[in-house]
Amino acid sequence: DGGITQSPKYLFRKEGQNVTLSCEQNLNHDAMYWYRQDPGQGLRLIYYSQIVNDFQKGDIAEGYSVSREKKESFPLTVTSAQKNPTAFYLCASSGGGTGELFFGEGSRLTVL
Amino acid sequence: KQEVTQIPAALSVPEGENLVLNCSFTDSAIYNLQWFRQDPGKGLTSLLLIQSSQREQTSGRLNASLDKSSGRSTLYIAASQPGDSATYLCAVTGAAGNKLTFGGGTRVLVKP
């Protein structure tokens, strides 16, 4: 089945630790995105990548880092510099010219 | 800066009633508009995608319209069912085609 796989589904982190969220897609999409979702707020863009080895900051990139070494993979690292990292993180991809966006099932990060 | 608004934030209807969900955006220079459904704790599922040149899209009981000049889109769900209970989000892609802006969503409850 074609789709986007995010892992882990749930993650707990102690303050001061970096954590990496995985996002893999087998849709052959060029563009990939990371969003953060908080209760009562809409989705906010963290980083996006339109092509391998290139990525751009979104609206809330501070405290996060990404890499795009392979077309299928776009991991997100939540660093200790992120002051309020507890949230639901969603990875998405788009391609094929229509711009339609497809999402993974999300990863819920909780800082203890 | 594009802003997307969805009103109301929550809606409750009896089963069988038609649902009307609204989405407004401030910048009419868009590439496309997409409607999503999100179940609690899950990722987003794409429902309908309307390109900027289109006026509407239909899929089964779902119909979405787009009026760029007034900055509005409406999602109609005919003959609602309890399984339609979810949060519905709209998102607008800017004219450059690389970034989406999401509305805050409308939480729908269909009562049996």
Side-chain angles (χ1 to χ4, degrees), chain A residues 55-106:
Chain A
F55 48 83
Q56 306 294 329
K57 292 183 179 180
D59 301 318
I60 55 165
E62 185 175 352
Y64 300 98
S65 66
V66 294
S67 63
R68 187 85 187 278
E69 297 177 0
K70 299 186 300 182
K71 187 176 185 178
E72 315 83 67
S73 179
F74 192 40
L76 173 74
T77 297
V78 184
T79 75
S80 57
Q82 170 49 236
K83 298 305 179 187
N84 186 22
T86 294
F88 190 50
Y89 292 88
L90 288 158
C91 178
S93 71
S94 68
T98 65
E100 187 171 9
L101 203 64
F102 296 90
F103 280 84
E105 284 295 293

Short mmCIF file of all heavy atoms in Angstrom, two decimals, chain A residues 55-106:
data_model
loop_
_atom_site.label_atom_id
_atom_site.label_comp_id
_atom_site.label_asym_id
_atom_site.label_seq_id
_atom_site.Cartn_x
_atom_site.Cartn_y
_atom_site.Cartn_z
N PHE A 55 15.77 22.08 1.77
CA PHE A 55 14.61 22.26 2.62
C PHE A 55 14.53 23.72 3.05
O PHE A 55 15.52 24.45 2.99
CB PHE A 55 14.64 21.33 3.85
CG PHE A 55 15.95 21.32 4.59
CD1 PHE A 55 16.25 22.29 5.53
CD2 PHE A 55 16.88 20.31 4.37
CE1 PHE A 55 17.45 22.26 6.23
CE2 PHE A 55 18.07 20.26 5.07
CZ PHE A 55 18.37 21.26 5.99
N GLN A 56 13.32 24.12 3.45
CA GLN A 56 13.06 25.51 3.81
C GLN A 56 12.38 25.58 5.17
O GLN A 56 11.59 24.71 5.52
CB GLN A 56 12.15 26.17 2.77
CG GLN A 56 12.64 26.06 1.34
CD GLN A 56 13.92 26.81 1.10
OE1 GLN A 56 14.17 27.83 1.74
NE2 GLN A 56 14.75 26.31 0.20
N LYS A 57 12.65 26.66 5.90
CA LYS A 57 11.97 26.88 7.16
C LYS A 57 10.53 27.27 6.91
O LYS A 57 10.22 28.01 5.98
CB LYS A 57 12.67 28.00 7.94
CG LYS A 57 14.06 27.63 8.44
CD LYS A 57 14.65 28.77 9.25
CE LYS A 57 16.04 28.40 9.78
NZ LYS A 57 16.63 29.51 10.56
N GLY A 58 9.67 26.77 7.80
CA GLY A 58 8.29 27.19 7.80
C GLY A 58 8.08 28.31 8.79
O GLY A 58 8.98 29.09 9.06
N ASP A 59 6.88 28.36 9.36
CA ASP A 59 6.53 29.46 10.24
C ASP A 59 7.08 29.33 11.66
O ASP A 59 7.22 30.31 12.37
CB ASP A 59 5.00 29.58 10.31
CG ASP A 59 4.40 29.82 8.94
OD1 ASP A 59 4.98 30.64 8.18
OD2 ASP A 59 3.38 29.20 8.61
N ILE A 60 7.40 28.09 12.07
CA ILE A 60 7.83 27.87 13.46
C ILE A 60 9.04 26.95 13.51
O ILE A 60 9.07 25.97 14.23
CB ILE A 60 6.68 27.31 14.33
CG1 ILE A 60 6.10 26.03 13.71
CG2 ILE A 60 5.57 28.34 14.52
CD1 ILE A 60 5.24 25.24 14.69
N ALA A 61 10.10 27.25 12.77
CA ALA A 61 11.25 26.35 12.64
C ALA A 61 12.19 26.37 13.84
O ALA A 61 13.00 25.44 14.01
CB ALA A 61 12.02 26.71 11.38
N GLU A 62 12.12 27.38 14.68
CA GLU A 62 13.08 27.49 15.78
C GLU A 62 12.99 26.30 16.72
O GLU A 62 11.91 25.95 17.18
CB GLU A 62 12.84 28.78 16.56
CG GLU A 62 13.88 29.02 17.65
CD GLU A 62 13.69 30.36 18.34
OE1 GLU A 62 12.86 31.16 17.88
OE2 GLU A 62 14.37 30.59 19.35
N GLY A 63 14.15 25.68 16.99
CA GLY A 63 14.20 24.54 17.89
C GLY A 63 14.02 23.20 17.18
O GLY A 63 14.00 22.16 17.84
N TYR A 64 13.89 23.23 15.87
CA TYR A 64 13.74 22.02 15.06
C TYR A 64 14.82 21.97 14.00
O TYR A 64 15.35 22.99 13.59
CB TYR A 64 12.38 22.00 14.37
CG TYR A 64 11.19 22.02 15.28
CD1 TYR A 64 10.52 23.23 15.54
CD2 TYR A 64 10.71 20.86 15.87
CE1 TYR A 64 9.42 23.26 16.38
CE2 TYR A 64 9.60 20.89 16.71
CZ TYR A 64 8.96 22.09 16.96
OH TYR A 64 7.87 22.12 17.78
N SER A 65 15.14 20.75 13.54
CA SER A 65 16.02 20.58 12.39
C SER A 65 15.54 19.40 11.57
O SER A 65 14.86 18.50 12.07
CB SER A 65 17.47 20.37 12.84
OG SER A 65 17.61 19.14 13.52
N VAL A 66 15.88 19.41 10.28
CA VAL A 66 15.47 18.35 9.36
C VAL A 66 16.62 18.01 8.44
O VAL A 66 17.61 18.73 8.36
CB VAL A 66 14.25 18.75 8.51
CG1 VAL A 66 13.00 18.94 9.36
CG2 VAL A 66 14.55 20.01 7.70
N SER A 67 16.46 16.91 7.72
CA SER A 67 17.37 16.54 6.65
C SER A 67 16.56 15.89 5.55
O SER A 67 15.47 15.36 5.79
CB SER A 67 18.46 15.59 7.14
OG SER A 67 17.89 14.37 7.59
N ARG A 68 17.08 15.93 4.33
CA ARG A 68 16.40 15.28 3.19
C ARG A 68 17.47 14.65 2.31
O ARG A 68 17.78 15.12 1.23
CB ARG A 68 15.57 16.29 2.43
CG ARG A 68 14.71 15.64 1.35
CD ARG A 68 13.42 15.13 1.83
NE ARG A 68 12.65 14.38 0.88
CZ ARG A 68 11.86 14.91 -0.07
NH1 ARG A 68 11.78 16.23 -0.21
NH2 ARG A 68 11.17 14.13 -0.86
N GLU A 69 18.01 13.56 2.79
CA GLU A 69 19.09 12.88 2.06
C GLU A 69 18.53 11.91 1.03
O GLU A 69 19.21 11.54 0.07
CB GLU A 69 20.00 12.16 3.04
CG GLU A 69 20.72 13.11 4.01
CD GLU A 69 21.56 12.36 5.02
OE1 GLU A 69 21.60 11.11 4.98
OE2 GLU A 69 22.18 13.02 5.87
N LYS A 70 17.30 11.46 1.24
CA LYS A 70 16.64 10.55 0.31
C LYS A 70 15.25 11.08 0.00
O LYS A 70 14.61 11.71 0.85
CB LYS A 70 16.53 9.15 0.91
CG LYS A 70 17.84 8.49 1.23
CD LYS A 70 17.62 7.04 1.68
CE LYS A 70 16.77 6.96 2.91
NZ LYS A 70 16.59 5.54 3.37
N LYS A 71 14.77 10.78 -1.18
CA LYS A 71 13.44 11.25 -1.59
C LYS A 71 12.37 10.73 -0.65
O LYS A 71 11.39 11.41 -0.37
CB LYS A 71 13.17 10.81 -3.02
CG LYS A 71 11.91 11.38 -3.63
CD LYS A 71 11.79 10.96 -5.08
CE LYS A 71 10.60 11.63 -5.74
NZ LYS A 71 10.50 11.27 -7.18
N GLU A 72 12.53 9.50 -0.18
CA GLU A 72 11.48 8.86 0.61
C GLU A 72 11.45 9.29 2.06
O GLU A 72 10.49 9.02 2.77
CB GLU A 72 11.67 7.34 0.61
CG GLU A 72 12.00 6.71 -0.73
CD GLU A 72 13.46 6.80 -1.07
OE1 GLU A 72 14.27 6.14 -0.38
OE2 GLU A 72 13.79 7.58 -1.99
N SER A 73 12.49 9.95 2.55
CA SER A 73 12.64 10.16 3.98
C SER A 73 12.85 11.62 4.34
O SER A 73 13.64 12.33 3.70
CB SER A 73 13.82 9.32 4.47
OG SER A 73 14.03 9.51 5.84
N PHE A 74 12.17 12.05 5.42
CA PHE A 74 12.27 13.44 5.86
C PHE A 74 12.18 13.48 7.39
O PHE A 74 11.16 13.86 7.96
CB PHE A 74 11.14 14.25 5.22
CG PHE A 74 11.27 15.76 5.36
CD1 PHE A 74 12.49 16.40 5.22
CD2 PHE A 74 10.14 16.54 5.59
CE1 PHE A 74 12.59 17.78 5.31
CE2 PHE A 74 10.23 17.92 5.69
CZ PHE A 74 11.46 18.54 5.56
N PRO A 75 13.23 13.09 8.09
CA PRO A 75 13.17 13.04 9.56
C PRO A 75 13.21 14.43 10.19
O PRO A 75 13.87 15.34 9.68
CB PRO A 75 14.41 12.24 9.93
CG PRO A 75 15.34 12.43 8.77
CD PRO A 75 14.48 12.57 7.55
N LEU A 76 12.52 14.55 11.30
CA LEU A 76 12.47 15.81 12.06
C LEU A 76 13.11 15.60 13.43
O LEU A 76 12.74 14.66 14.13
CB LEU A 76 11.02 16.25 12.25
CG LEU A 76 10.79 17.45 13.17
CD1 LEU A 76 11.21 18.74 12.48
CD2 LEU A 76 9.31 17.55 13.58
N THR A 77 14.07 16.45 13.77
CA THR A 77 14.68 16.40 15.09
C THR A 77 14.15 17.57 15.93
O THR A 77 14.22 18.72 15.50
CB THR A 77 16.21 16.45 15.03
OG1 THR A 77 16.69 15.30 14.33
CG2 THR A 77 16.83 16.48 16.42
N VAL A 78 13.62 17.22 17.09
CA VAL A 78 13.16 18.23 18.04
C VAL A 78 14.30 18.42 19.03
O VAL A 78 14.65 17.49 19.77
CB VAL A 78 11.88 17.77 18.75
CG1 VAL A 78 11.36 18.88 19.67
CG2 VAL A 78 10.82 17.35 17.75
N THR A 79 14.92 19.57 19.01
CA THR A 79 16.11 19.78 19.84
C THR A 79 15.73 20.33 21.21
O THR A 79 14.58 20.77 21.44
CB THR A 79 17.08 20.74 19.16
OG1 THR A 79 16.58 22.08 19.25
CG2 THR A 79 17.29 20.37 17.70
N SER A 80 16.71 20.35 22.08
CA SER A 80 16.48 20.87 23.43
C SER A 80 16.21 22.37 23.41
O SER A 80 15.75 22.94 24.39
CB SER A 80 17.69 20.57 24.32
OG SER A 80 18.87 21.11 23.75
N ALA A 81 16.48 23.01 22.28
CA ALA A 81 16.22 24.45 22.16
C ALA A 81 14.74 24.76 21.95
O ALA A 81 14.33 25.92 22.11
CB ALA A 81 17.02 25.02 20.99
N GLN A 82 13.94 23.75 21.65
CA GLN A 82 12.51 23.96 21.47
C GLN A 82 11.88 24.05 22.85
O GLN A 82 11.86 23.08 23.61
CB GLN A 82 11.91 22.81 20.65
CG GLN A 82 10.38 22.76 20.59
CD GLN A 82 9.71 24.09 20.22
OE1 GLN A 82 8.87 24.57 20.96
NE2 GLN A 82 10.11 24.66 19.11
N LYS A 83 11.33 25.20 23.16
CA LYS A 83 10.88 25.47 24.53
C LYS A 83 9.59 24.78 24.93
O LYS A 83 9.34 24.52 26.10
CB LYS A 83 10.70 26.99 24.71
CG LYS A 83 11.99 27.78 24.52
CD LYS A 83 13.09 27.29 25.42
CE LYS A 83 14.38 28.06 25.19
NZ LYS A 83 15.52 27.48 25.93
N ASN A 84 8.75 24.47 23.98
CA ASN A 84 7.47 23.85 24.29
C ASN A 84 7.18 22.75 23.27
O ASN A 84 6.32 22.90 22.41
CB ASN A 84 6.36 24.91 24.25
CG ASN A 84 5.03 24.35 24.70
OD1 ASN A 84 4.96 23.35 25.40
ND2 ASN A 84 3.96 25.01 24.29
N PRO A 85 7.91 21.64 23.36
CA PRO A 85 7.84 20.63 22.31
C PRO A 85 6.66 19.67 22.39
O PRO A 85 6.40 18.94 21.44
CB PRO A 85 9.16 19.86 22.48
CG PRO A 85 9.45 19.99 23.94
CD PRO A 85 8.95 21.35 24.34
N THR A 86 5.95 19.65 23.50
CA THR A 86 4.83 18.72 23.64
C THR A 86 3.75 19.09 22.63
O THR A 86 3.20 20.19 22.68
CB THR A 86 4.25 18.77 25.06
OG1 THR A 86 5.22 18.26 25.98
CG2 THR A 86 2.98 17.93 25.16
N ALA A 87 3.47 18.18 21.69
CA ALA A 87 2.52 18.45 20.61
C ALA A 87 2.32 17.20 19.79
O ALA A 87 2.97 16.18 20.00
CB ALA A 87 3.04 19.58 19.71
N PHE A 88 1.42 17.31 18.84
CA PHE A 88 1.16 16.25 17.85
C PHE A 88 1.84 16.69 16.56
O PHE A 88 1.58 17.79 16.06
CB PHE A 88 -0.36 16.11 17.67
CG PHE A 88 -0.80 14.93 16.88
CD1 PHE A 88 -0.32 13.66 17.17
CD2 PHE A 88 -1.72 15.07 15.86
CE1 PHE A 88 -0.75 12.54 16.45
CE2 PHE A 88 -2.16 13.97 15.13
CZ PHE A 88 -1.67 12.71 15.42
N TYR A 89 2.72 15.83 16.02
CA TYR A 89 3.50 16.18 14.84
C TYR A 89 3.01 15.37 13.64
O TYR A 89 2.88 14.14 13.72
CB TYR A 89 4.99 15.93 15.09
CG TYR A 89 5.57 16.89 16.09
CD1 TYR A 89 5.54 16.59 17.45
CD2 TYR A 89 6.13 18.10 15.69
CE1 TYR A 89 6.05 17.49 18.39
CE2 TYR A 89 6.65 18.99 16.61
CZ TYR A 89 6.61 18.68 17.96
OH TYR A 89 7.11 19.57 18.87
N LEU A 90 2.78 16.06 12.55
CA LEU A 90 2.24 15.43 11.35
C LEU A 90 3.18 15.66 10.18
O LEU A 90 3.64 16.77 9.92
CB LEU A 90 0.87 16.02 11.01
CG LEU A 90 -0.25 15.60 11.95
CD1 LEU A 90 -1.40 16.58 11.90
CD2 LEU A 90 -0.74 14.20 11.58
N CYS A 91 3.46 14.58 9.46
CA CYS A 91 4.27 14.63 8.26
C CYS A 91 3.35 14.49 7.05
O CYS A 91 2.35 13.76 7.11
CB CYS A 91 5.29 13.50 8.29
SG CYS A 91 6.34 13.39 6.82
N ALA A 92 3.67 15.17 5.98
CA ALA A 92 2.85 15.12 4.78
C ALA A 92 3.72 15.13 3.55
O ALA A 92 4.90 15.52 3.60
CB ALA A 92 1.86 16.29 4.75
N SER A 93 3.15 14.73 2.43
CA SER A 93 3.87 14.81 1.16
C SER A 93 2.89 15.18 0.06
O SER A 93 1.68 15.00 0.19
CB SER A 93 4.57 13.48 0.84
OG SER A 93 3.62 12.49 0.49
N SER A 94 3.44 15.72 -1.02
CA SER A 94 2.61 16.05 -2.18
C SER A 94 3.44 15.86 -3.45
O SER A 94 4.67 15.96 -3.43
CB SER A 94 2.07 17.47 -2.10
OG SER A 94 3.12 18.42 -2.22
N GLY A 95 2.72 15.59 -4.54
CA GLY A 95 3.41 15.40 -5.81
C GLY A 95 2.40 15.18 -6.91
O GLY A 95 1.19 15.21 -6.69
N GLY A 96 2.89 14.93 -8.12
CA GLY A 96 2.00 14.62 -9.22
C GLY A 96 1.37 15.82 -9.88
O GLY A 96 0.53 15.66 -10.76
N GLY A 97 1.74 17.02 -9.47
CA GLY A 97 1.26 18.20 -10.18
C GLY A 97 -0.01 18.81 -9.64
O GLY A 97 -0.25 20.00 -9.85
N THR A 98 -0.83 18.03 -8.92
CA THR A 98 -2.09 18.60 -8.42
C THR A 98 -1.88 19.38 -7.14
O THR A 98 -2.70 20.22 -6.79
CB THR A 98 -3.13 17.49 -8.14
OG1 THR A 98 -2.64 16.67 -7.07
CG2 THR A 98 -3.37 16.66 -9.38
N GLY A 99 -0.80 19.07 -6.43
CA GLY A 99 -0.58 19.71 -5.14
C GLY A 99 -1.36 19.09 -4.01
O GLY A 99 -1.37 19.62 -2.90
N GLU A 100 -2.02 17.97 -4.27
CA GLU A 100 -2.80 17.34 -3.20
C GLU A 100 -1.86 16.83 -2.12
O GLU A 100 -0.83 16.21 -2.40
CB GLU A 100 -3.64 16.18 -3.75
CG GLU A 100 -4.59 15.60 -2.72
CD GLU A 100 -5.58 14.62 -3.32
OE1 GLU A 100 -5.41 14.27 -4.50
OE2 GLU A 100 -6.50 14.20 -2.60
N LEU A 101 -2.24 17.10 -0.88
CA LEU A 101 -1.41 16.77 0.27
C LEU A 101 -1.92 15.51 0.94
O LEU A 101 -3.12 15.36 1.13
CB LEU A 101 -1.45 17.94 1.27
CG LEU A 101 -0.29 18.09 2.24
CD1 LEU A 101 0.99 18.39 1.50
CD2 LEU A 101 -0.59 19.21 3.22
N PHE A 102 -0.99 14.61 1.27
CA PHE A 102 -1.33 13.37 1.97
C PHE A 102 -0.56 13.34 3.27
O PHE A 102 0.62 13.69 3.32
CB PHE A 102 -0.97 12.16 1.11
CG PHE A 102 -1.76 12.08 -0.16
CD1 PHE A 102 -1.30 12.67 -1.31
CD2 PHE A 102 -2.99 11.41 -0.19
CE1 PHE A 102 -2.03 12.62 -2.48
CE2 PHE A 102 -3.72 11.36 -1.36
CZ PHE A 102 -3.24 11.96 -2.52
N PHE A 103 -1.23 12.87 4.33
CA PHE A 103 -0.65 12.89 5.67
C PHE A 103 -0.38 11.51 6.21
O PHE A 103 -1.07 10.53 5.87
CB PHE A 103 -1.60 13.60 6.64
CG PHE A 103 -1.54 15.10 6.56
CD1 PHE A 103 -2.28 15.78 5.61
CD2 PHE A 103 -0.73 15.82 7.44
CE1 PHE A 103 -2.22 17.17 5.54
CE2 PHE A 103 -0.68 17.20 7.37
CZ PHE A 103 -1.42 17.87 6.41
N GLY A 104 0.62 11.43 7.11
CA GLY A 104 0.82 10.26 7.93
C GLY A 104 -0.12 10.28 9.11
O GLY A 104 -0.94 11.20 9.26
N GLU A 105 0.00 9.28 9.99
CA GLU A 105 -0.90 9.14 11.12
C GLU A 105 -0.47 9.97 12.33
O GLU A 105 -1.19 10.04 13.31
CB GLU A 105 -1.00 7.68 11.53
CG GLU A 105 -1.87 6.85 10.60
CD GLU A 105 -3.31 7.31 10.67
OE1 GLU A 105 -3.96 7.14 11.72
OE2 GLU A 105 -3.82 7.85 9.65
N GLY A 106 0.70 10.58 12.26
CA GLY A 106 1.12 11.49 13.32
C GLY A 106 1.95 10.83 14.40
O GLY A 106 1.91 9.61 14.60
#
